[in-house]
Amino acid sequence: MNSSGNEFSVLMSVYAKDDVIFFAEALNSLYEQTTQASEVVLIGDGTLTKSHYEVIDRFSTVINVKFFQLERNQGLAHALQIGLGHCSYDWVCRMDSDDICIADRFEKQLRFLKHNPDVDVLGGQISEFNETGVLSNRIVKMKHADILKQSKYLSPVNHVTVIYRKQKVIEAGGYNMDYTGMEDYPLWLKLLSNGAKFHNLSDVLVDVRVNDIGSRRSGLGYAVKEAKMFCFFYNRKFIKFRHLVINLSIRFPVRVFGTFLLDLAYKVNRRKAR
C-alpha cells in the first residue's frame, strides 16, 4: 500500500439509462463501508437525468465524490479510461453503478494487501441477484497460478470486485475500447502478460444485479466480437492455438444459438447460492 496504508480511489461510471434507485443504492453501499474510500471518481458517461444529478449532489455531502461529466456517451471502457486519469491514489477500486458492495469489502481488501505487498490486482467473489432474490455466486480462482490457467478460457476476475495498482494498469495500456461488454478481460490478460501478481479473496465482496444477461450476451454480433477478442489474445500470444480453438468451438455456437444454451453455460460456470 502507499504511505498512509489506506488511501484509495473508487472508480465508477454512470449514464442516463442507469436506474436511479439502483444508482443511489450503489453509492449508499460506499457510504456504509466500514472503511470509506478517500475519493469516489464518478464519470458521467454523457448527459444524465435530473434525478441522477440530484443523487450525486445528495451523496456528495457524505462521501468525497469527484464528478466529471463527459459530453456524450462513449461506453464503459472509454469512461473508465478517462476516470483512471482522475484517480488521485496508487490504488483504485472498481464499482458499477447498480451493484452493492458488502459493508466490509474495502476493509478486507486493504487488510490483505497490507500483508501481501506483492499483489497488484485483488478481487473476490460475487453474488448475483435480481428482483426475485439471490440467484447464484460467480466463483473465480484464488491463487495466482490458478488465475493464470483460468484466464486462457474465461475472465479470471470479477471486475466490479477488484482493487488494482493504477500504475500497473496504465503501463498495460488500460482498458480496451474495441470489445464492448468485455472491457475487463483484455485488461487482465495484458496485466498477466506484464507480470502483474493476481489474487482473489474467497469472500463475496459485491452483490451484482443480473437482468437479461442471456439476451445481452447472445446473437451473431456478440459472437463475432467475442471471436475477434480471442483472436486478439492469440495474436498477442496471451493464449496458444489450442486455447483459441477450444474457446471458439464452444463459445461461438453458444452465443449464436441464443439464450437457452447461454443460460445453461452460465449455470455450469456458477455455483448455486446456498
Side-chain angles (χ1 to χ4, degrees), residues 11 76-77 80 93-96 99 105 122-124 126 138 140 155-164 175 182-185 187-188 200 206:
L11 176 57
L76 180 61
L80 294 180
C93 279
R94 272 286 293 118
M95 173 68 177
D96 274 353
D99 298 332
R105 170 196 169 177
L122 176 64
I126 61 173
R138 182 175 190 263
V140 287
S155 181
V157 178
N158 290 312
H159 189 194
V160 296
T161 70
V162 298
I163 179 170
Y164 52 56
Y175 288 93
M182 299 171 272
E183 298 88 356
D184 57 318
Y185 196 175
L187 176 60
W188 309 142
N200 285 314
V206 181

Side-chain angles (χ1 to χ4, degrees), residues 112 119 121-123 142-144 147 197-201:
F112 182 89
V119 171
V121 180
L122 176 64
M142 293 174 56
K143 296 180 179 179
H144 178 82
I147 289 171
K197 178 74 176 293
F198 279 61
H199 190 86
N200 285 314
L201 298 178

Side-chain angles (χ1 to χ4, degrees), residues 25-26 28-35 95 99-109 125-127 129 160-161 203-208:
E25 291 178 354
N28 189 61
S29 76
L30 298 180
Y31 168 64
E32 292 183 341
Q33 286 292 301
T34 55
T35 299
M95 173 68 177
D99 298 332
I100 299 173
C101 281
I102 303 302
D104 59 352
R105 170 196 169 177
F106 299 149
E107 180 182 349
K108 286 179 176 177
Q109 290 184 294
Q125 317 306 325
I126 61 173
S127 173
F129 74 102
V160 296
T161 70
D203 308 77
V204 170
L205 300 181
V206 181
D207 291 333
V208 174

Side-chain angles (χ1 to χ4, degrees), residues 86-102:
H86 290 292
C87 291
S88 306
Y89 299 99
D90 299 335
W91 288 92
V92 176
C93 279
R94 272 286 293 118
M95 173 68 177
D96 274 353
S97 59
D98 60 350
D99 298 332
I100 299 173
C101 281
I102 303 302

Side-chain angles (χ1 to χ4, degrees), residues 36 78 130 151 232 245 272:
Q36 285 196 0
H78 178 80
N130 62 16
S151 71
F232 166 76
V245 172
K272 285 293 183 182

Side-chain angles (χ1 to χ4, degrees), residues 190-254:
K190 288 190 291 184
L191 283 163
L192 287 165
S193 180
N194 280 6
K197 178 74 176 293
F198 279 61
H199 190 86
N200 285 314
L201 298 178
S202 61
D203 308 77
V204 170
L205 300 181
V206 181
D207 291 333
V208 174
R209 296 181 195 273
V210 288
N211 294 300
D212 257 350
I213 192 166
S215 61
R216 289 188 289 109
R217 297 185 177 180
S218 61
L220 181 60
Y222 193 94
V224 169
K225 183 165 55 178
E226 188 175 59
K228 288 181 178 178
M229 180 182 70
F230 277 99
C231 289
F232 166 76
F233 292 166
Y234 173 68
N235 290 332
R236 290 285 297 269
K237 302 187 186 307
F238 296 152
I239 62 175
K240 295 183 178 180
F241 184 69
R242 70 174 184 274
H243 301 131
L244 176 65
V245 172
I246 292 171
N247 277 296
L248 295 185
S249 61
I250 295 175
R251 287 172 174 269
F252 198 87
V254 169

